[in-house]
Amino acid sequence: MGSTNSTLLKIPNVEVLMQETGFSPAHIIRLHDRFKALDKEGRGHLCPQDFGEIKELAMNPIGDRIIGAFFSPGKETVDFHTFVKILAHFRPVDKDRPKEPNSPEPINSRSNKLKFAFQLYDQDKDGKISRDELLKVLRAMLGMQVTEEQLESIADRTIQEADLDRDDAISFEEFRKSLEKVNIDHKMSIRFLR
Amino acid sequence: MGPFISPFNNLLCMLLGISFTVWFTLLLVFIIVPAVFGLSFGIRSLYMKTLLKVFKWATVRMERGAKEKNHLLYKPYSLNGIIAKEPTSLEEELKEIRRNGSGRELDGSASTTAGPSPSSSEFDMSDTFYFCRRGIESIVDDEVTKRFTAEELESWNLLTRSNYNFQHISSRLTVLWGLGVVIRYGFLLPLRLTLAITGVSLLVVFTTMIGFLPSGRVKNFLSEKVHLMCYRICVRALTAIITYHHSENKPKNGGICVANHTSPIDVIILASDGCYAMVGQIHGGLMGLIQKSMVKACPHVWFERSEVKDRHLVAKRLSDHVKDKSKLPILIFPEGTCINNTSVMMFKKGSFEIGSTVYPVAIKYDPRFGDAFWNSSKFGMVNYLLRMMSSWAIVCSVWYLPPMRRQEGEDAVQFANRVKAAIARQGGLVDLLWDGGLKRGKVKDTFKEEQQKLYSKILVGTQEDRSRS
């Protein structure tokens, strides 16, 4: 046990980080410890292999995509700030937050959570989930357990239902609309303990 | 200058001589002689109780100090970790998503046959949410990595190595800590080193001597006594305070003793209470010397490095040993590697295929006095032993569980899991399915396939129903 202040001071720009993400000081420290534990060689940043070492993630069918979500296009490393910002998507929605019209939308808003999920599908980041991208995700989640035809029929049905402007792809708005009734806050949030 | 130095020198020599003699006499009387006969003065229990009182005081002091300075006390990981994981399974989650309805209800043409049923399991784009959340949860806190780092403590035991955020809280505490360092490194460490060297050398010398005797009851009797005596000295060299439970279940000849593995010290702890045949790879250097001399007194099973890879050879030698009822029970650690003593990982099935009686043993260390876990990726053996010898004490409990045999229709893996569950339950450890080999290796693809199979059963299973109707 010890006081938290000095650990917080070691992290650069921690005030800004806390404000942007809404994490408490205790959470930041825990995440920092976790970051250090994952960064086995102590380089101060993480690379895809460090994530790959997490066994439960390696067993996750869409594990690679989740790892990819941490790395911006072209970047090979993740620093602590980006790490925390991505994880902030999964904070439960703050119900009592006063609505300030000029402040930017919080990272863990319903809309941003949906955007995170959307990018898991939309790997080429063109703003649309093409039939091909959908097939890839289905293949990842079902593996060799289903035939190609079954996959295609599932993909066709999904696009048929969600694609409102008939361009054979699902845009973010169509994605959002098809998931209107889903409790995003519950499904895409993690309970951080004190 | 001459005459001035010489009386001073004489005095110094005399003092040194006296202190050494006193030192060794104390050592002999209080530690070695009881070790030889298996008795105890109760010094160690008294020591333990005193230490606990000191630790409590130190913890209270730290909490008070932190409050005064208005600092947030960094409470270490509780068993739950940083997040509370939802215990729901894939099936439950998907059912819930379907039940709450999705956008599909807007489009009435979706379900053609039976009408919209609340549990229709068609693919929904929100299915990825489950996997996504699980994935992020494991990034923040996963079950396996936790097991391979040392356990965090609720209170501080005056060792900086177990306090990750050591801060200057109060000068009284720092003085206490400093005093602790002096005692541990100045007094306890040399004492323990002396004992360890004594114990090991006695072991080597006596077992070699016994090796010259012809095989028979006398040899076995003497070998047993010598082994026990030397292990007991080593136990005192680590100031290990061990409580044995259910000694009526102690392993007998022709059986296999199976225990959970936290550190190389496990061997010393078990062997100081009973005689076992050890199993292991032949090392070089000091270890190799010890191994070679031990095997002269009684048969242990040592393998060459090349033989270790050949599973059939290993299995054959072990079963040959076990069939001979005059030989001692074998001691095996089926996890294959050191785990941090909060859980029990997957047992390798090799030892459970041999088909003799298995005597499970659970070993649980009390982390308040010194963390016995050997993180082999962080510390080498020598470093580890030094840390052990400079901790306060090693306190542990050993439970001998009733013997188990493989039942009809049970294969080796199921038997291994049954034994593992019994050990985990007794020691209060978490029973994990994960392979201890994960510490170093990659996850096998079969695990991912399991997830995919489960998911596809939910989706495709119902599709088959639909096509049938």
Side-chain angles (χ1 to χ4, degrees):
Chain A
M1 290 200 275
S3 70
T4 54
N5 284 8
S6 69
T7 324
L8 277 179
L9 288 173
K10 289 195 198 115
I11 307 170
N13 298 330
V14 71
E15 295 286 329
V16 175
L17 192 60
M18 286 197 287
Q19 221 194 13
E20 279 179 353
T21 59
F23 279 122
S24 70
H27 291 155
I28 299 274
I29 291 182
R30 285 206 187 290
L31 288 174
H32 191 66
D33 279 348
R34 179 64 175 167
F35 185 83
K36 277 197 290 191
L38 291 174
D39 179 17
K40 291 195 178 75
E41 294 169 36
R43 285 171 303 200
H45 55 83
L46 297 175
C47 61
Q49 285 90 300
D50 293 321
F51 285 100
E53 293 278 310
I54 303 174
K55 317 299 175 183
E56 285 167 18
L57 194 59
M59 149 180 142
N60 192 311
I62 51 171
D64 302 326
R65 287 163 186 263
I66 298 174
I67 297 176
F70 281 84
F71 296 87
S72 335
K75 286 201 78 179
E76 300 260 307
T77 59
V78 171
D79 63 1
F80 181 60
H81 273 247
T82 322
F83 181 70
V84 175
K85 283 214 202 95
I86 305 275
L87 290 178
H89 282 92
F90 289 83
R91 276 189 61 236
V93 172
D94 304 310
K95 296 186 179 58
D96 313 318
R97 194 180 51 87
K99 286 224 173 354
E100 291 150 42
N102 291 335
S103 65
E105 207 176 337
I107 299 183
N108 61 336
S109 71
R110 196 174 183 279
S111 176
N112 279 328
K113 285 181 200 278
L114 276 173
K115 279 200 194 121
F116 188 86
F118 187 78
Q119 82 172 189
L120 288 179
Y121 284 95
D122 181 22
Q123 293 283 296
D124 61 5
K125 305 210 192 307
D126 62 354
K128 288 181 185 301
I129 304 176
S130 66
R131 187 167 179 280
D132 208 39
E133 286 174 330
L134 187 56
L135 273 173
K136 283 210 184 76
V137 174
L138 284 169
R139 178 59 80 193
M141 295 211 287
L142 294 165
M144 289 292 121
Q145 308 301 323
V146 296
T147 64
E148 192 66 33
E149 294 88 46
Q150 282 168 320
L151 273 190
E152 304 224 346
S153 82
I154 296 176
D156 287 334
R157 160 174 275 111
T158 312
I159 294 191
Q160 193 189 40
E161 286 160 10
D163 186 15
L164 302 168
D165 60 6
R166 302 285 157 224
D167 62 350
D168 209 29
I170 305 177
S171 70
F172 180 63
E173 278 309 315
E174 289 163 354
F175 184 71
R176 186 212 291 265
K177 210 162 170 45
S178 81
L179 296 173
E180 249 177 4
K181 294 221 159 71
V182 176
N183 186 351
I184 307 280
D185 183 26
H186 189 206
K187 298 290 156 213
M188 292 281 278
S189 293
I190 305 180
R191 278 175 26 211
F192 286 91
L193 293 175
R194 197 50 202 70
Chain B
M1 286 291 250
F4 283 124
I5 303 260
S6 116
F8 183 63
N9 262 354
N10 271 346
L11 193 63
L12 199 64
C13 285
M14 240 171 42
L15 276 176
L16 274 173
I18 293 180
S19 50
F20 265 127
T21 322
V22 169
W23 176 252
F24 274 117
T25 323
L26 279 176
L27 212 70
L28 204 69
V29 170
F30 281 109
I31 301 182
I32 297 190
V33 168
V36 171
F37 293 107
L39 301 168
S40 171
F41 274 119
I43 300 179
R44 281 176 290 158
S45 332
L46 186 62
Y47 172 62
M48 190 171 98
K49 291 196 182 82
T50 323
L51 277 180
L52 276 176
K53 288 210 187 84
V54 173
F55 293 162
K56 248 197 208 100
W57 179 87
T59 314
V60 167
R61 197 74 194 76
M62 279 183 90
E63 283 175 350
R64 216 189 313 150
K67 246 185 237 160
E68 282 165 13
K69 294 191 182 170
N70 266 329
H71 287 165
L72 270 175
L73 256 192
Y74 173 31
K75 277 230 158 14
Y77 272 165
S78 55
L79 276 173
N80 290 331
I82 177 176
I83 51 177
K85 292 203 183 158
E86 298 287 323
T88 49
S89 69
L90 177 58
E91 292 161 34
E92 290 167 14
E93 287 254 344
L94 294 186
K95 280 209 189 84
E96 211 186 307
I97 293 181
R98 308 283 187 271
R99 216 180 305 132
N100 293 334
S102 58
R104 199 165 290 115
E105 284 183 9
L106 295 174
D107 185 6
S109 64
S111 342
T112 47
T113 48
S117 56
S119 57
S120 70
S121 298
E122 299 287 333
F123 171 73
D124 192 275
M125 286 194 284
S126 56
D127 288 349
T128 43
F129 289 7
Y130 173 80
F131 291 112
C132 179
R133 199 184 74 236
R134 277 272 186 263
I136 298 280
E137 273 175 359
S138 63
I139 290 180
V140 177
D141 184 14
D142 78 303
E143 282 301 320
V144 176
T145 314
K146 254 203 315 219
R147 308 297 168 192
F148 292 120
T149 50
E151 194 184 350
E152 288 193 43
L153 295 177
E154 287 288 321
S155 74
W156 190 37
N157 61 356
L158 295 178
L159 297 171
T160 32
R161 64 184 74 136
S162 54
N163 182 347
Y164 300 106
N165 285 314
F166 178 61
Q167 293 297 311
H168 175 82
I169 297 284
S170 88
S171 39
R172 236 186 283 180
L173 204 59
T174 318
V175 164
L176 194 66
W177 173 76
L179 194 64
V181 170
V182 167
I183 295 180
R184 284 186 295 123
Y185 284 92
F187 172 63
L188 289 177
L189 184 59
L191 171 68
R192 288 172 182 164
L193 273 177
T194 327
L195 282 173
I197 296 174
T198 318
V200 170
S201 8
L202 281 180
L203 183 67
V204 172
V205 165
F206 281 143
T207 45
T208 317
M209 277 168 43
I210 293 181
F212 290 121
L213 293 173
S215 311
R217 275 189 34 211
V218 176
K219 185 176 185 185
N220 289 343
F221 176 72
L222 279 178
S223 146
E224 204 184 294
K225 290 295 166 216
V226 161
H227 272 108
L228 279 177
M229 175 186 92
C230 296
Y231 280 120
R232 283 198 205 113
I233 298 182
C234 289
V235 157
R236 280 159 173 77
L238 294 164
T239 316
I241 305 170
I242 312 168
T243 322
Y244 296 99
H245 303 268
H246 304 304
S247 294
E248 66 270 12
N249 291 326
K250 251 197 263 193
K252 301 189 176 54
N253 282 7
I256 299 182
C257 176
V258 168
N260 61 318
H261 201 27
T262 304
S263 93
I265 295 178
D266 292 341
V267 175
I268 302 180
I269 288 181
L270 286 179
S272 61
D273 192 44
C275 285
Y276 300 94
M278 314 279 169
V279 177
Q281 206 182 303
I282 296 189
H283 292 96
L286 182 63
M287 250 338 271
L289 177 66
I290 300 177
Q291 285 176 324
K292 287 201 191 77
S293 54
M294 276 170 71
V295 86
K296 288 197 187 111
C298 75
H300 297 282
V301 187
W302 302 126
F303 291 104
E304 300 284 341
R305 179 154 283 163
S306 50
E307 290 173 327
V308 172
K309 300 269 168 65
D310 187 349
R311 280 191 52 210
H312 291 292
L313 180 68
V314 170
K316 178 149 195 330
R317 273 186 72 178
L318 288 178
S319 50
D320 283 344
H321 183 111
V322 155
K323 287 203 187 81
D324 186 348
K325 295 290 175 205
S326 71
K327 294 198 179 149
L328 298 165
I330 301 182
L331 180 58
I332 287 190
F333 297 102
E335 279 162 311
T337 186
C338 294
I339 313 292
N340 77 347
N341 209 232
T342 56
S343 68
V344 182
M345 292 219 163
M346 189 164 98
F347 279 2
K348 304 222 180 313
K349 60 178 172 129
S351 21
F352 298 92
E353 282 170 339
I354 298 177
S356 69
T357 321
V358 167
Y359 296 89
V361 176
I363 307 177
K364 179 81 175 108
Y365 289 87
D366 188 338
R368 287 176 298 177
F369 294 91
D371 184 19
F373 168 55
W374 183 30
N375 192 340
S376 55
S377 49
K378 239 173 139 191
F379 308 109
M381 173 69 103
V382 178
N383 204 334
Y384 170 72
L385 284 175
L386 275 176
R387 277 164 64 95
M388 282 301 102
M389 291 199 189
S390 59
S391 330
W392 291 112
I394 310 241
V395 180
C396 64
S397 297
V398 174
W399 286 273
Y400 292 106
L401 298 169
M404 292 177 157
R405 296 199 68 105
R406 185 146 66 119
Q407 283 162 355
E408 285 295 320
E410 201 181 29
D411 72 356
V413 176
Q414 289 166 330
F415 181 39
N417 284 336
R418 195 158 57 93
V419 173
K420 176 161 78 88
I423 293 184
R425 213 177 319 131
Q426 180 64 77
L429 307 162
V430 175
D431 187 1
L432 286 187
L433 214 57
W434 288 101
D435 188 345
L438 286 179
K439 197 161 139 193
R440 280 174 270 275
K442 291 207 161 301
V443 173
K444 295 203 198 64
D445 283 326
T446 40
F447 284 117
K448 202 191 265 203
E449 262 181 53
E450 287 293 318
Q451 291 271 298
Q452 290 168 336
K453 274 198 195 122
L454 191 60
Y455 183 52
S456 66
K457 232 192 297 180
I458 298 173
L459 287 194
V460 177
T462 32
Q463 280 201 353
E464 278 174 358
D465 295 334
R466 295 179 93 243
S467 62
R468 244 182 278 132
S469 65

